Amino acid sequence: YLGDIGGKFAGVGFLLVSYIMMGVYLSEGGDRLHDLLFLGADANGDSVVLSRAIFAIVMGAFLSAASKYNVVQKIMIQFFVPATMLAYSSGVSTALPTADLGAIWSLSNQHPEVVLNAFPLLFMSWTYHGVVPRVVYDLECNKKEITKAIVGGSTSALIMYLIWNAVMLGNVLGDGASAVSFAGVGGNPLTAIGDTSSSSSSLAYWVTLVTEMAAATS
């Protein structure tokens, strides 16, 4: 549809975006590994670099070995997905009792002027469509099953993200904070939950673990 030149530009663009995303995943995964290892303890900058290196090496070794024996999909389905769902459920269960869900709807926490800040993330999310060829291959080009898998999977993920965002923002905003007052932690409410002394250590642990599992599965 894009023609020869357009297709080449699209291909190069996809590779660049995928490369950037891989760097983000490895960096975030290493940081969350660092948080798990040093949760509640002081650590220096060298330990962050080491954690990132360990995460990258472990993920690279796993993918290399698993792909060699063609068991990547099997391990994902039988281990990583159930483990991530268990961590997610535990995190939501821990966060829900202390979440001030009413604060999410408060007019003082509505800031449409910062919506543009999310555009880079929306652009990077386009790599999601890279899984479609794999879905088509696994479901043997069955249009009905492919549609069911993509629509059902996307809807399930959307609902999970909305629930996760609601209970996490409810915990942060429940202290009377503003939705845009997290400059000290890179504008990330999840980092605020992990850093603030008002958060329970169990909630900080589950948030960190879920983030780590999300980076690993990505």
Side-chain angles (χ1 to χ4, degrees), residues 69-99:
Y69 296 101
N70 199 29
V71 293
V72 175
Q73 293 294 103
K74 183 177 181 180
I75 295 177
M76 284 289 295
I77 294 173
Q78 295 185 359
F79 173 72
F80 278 108
V81 172
T84 302
M85 291 299 299
L86 178 61
Y88 169 87
S89 301
S90 299
V92 171
S93 300
T94 303
L96 188 58
T98 56

Side-chain angles (χ1 to χ4, degrees), residues 86-158:
L86 178 61
Y88 169 87
S89 301
S90 299
V92 171
S93 300
T94 303
L96 188 58
T98 56
D100 183 1
L101 299 180
I104 299 175
W105 307 106
S106 173
L107 291 178
S108 62
N109 290 319
Q110 310 310 312
H111 299 276
E113 69 276 8
V114 299
V115 171
L116 288 176
N117 295 340
F119 272 38
L121 294 177
L122 295 176
F123 173 75
M124 298 302 287
S125 69
W126 290 352
T127 56
Y128 154 81
H129 300 89
V131 305
V132 173
R134 181 70 199 194
V135 173
V136 173
Y137 174 80
D138 287 343
L139 297 179
E140 300 177 344
C141 299
N142 186 315
K143 182 178 179 180
K144 183 178 180 179
E145 292 300 319
I146 293 170
T147 302
K148 187 187 300 183
I150 293 177
V151 174
S154 300
T155 303
S156 300
L158 174 61

Side-chain angles (χ1 to χ4, degrees), residues 141-217:
C141 299
N142 186 315
K143 182 178 179 180
K144 183 178 180 179
E145 292 300 319
I146 293 170
T147 302
K148 187 187 300 183
I150 293 177
V151 174
S154 300
T155 303
S156 300
L158 174 61
I159 294 174
M160 289 175 63
Y161 276 120
L162 291 176
I163 293 174
W164 181 259
N165 288 341
V167 296
M168 294 306 156
L169 285 174
N171 273 272
V172 175
L173 300 179
D175 294 331
S178 168
V180 291
S181 63
F182 308 115
V185 289
N188 191 343
L190 294 181
T191 304
I193 290 177
D195 290 347
T196 180
S197 58
S198 62
S199 297
S200 66
S201 59
S202 59
L203 177 56
Y205 172 81
W206 287 118
V207 167
T208 303
L209 183 60
V210 170
T211 307
E212 177 74 352
M213 294 300 298
T217 54

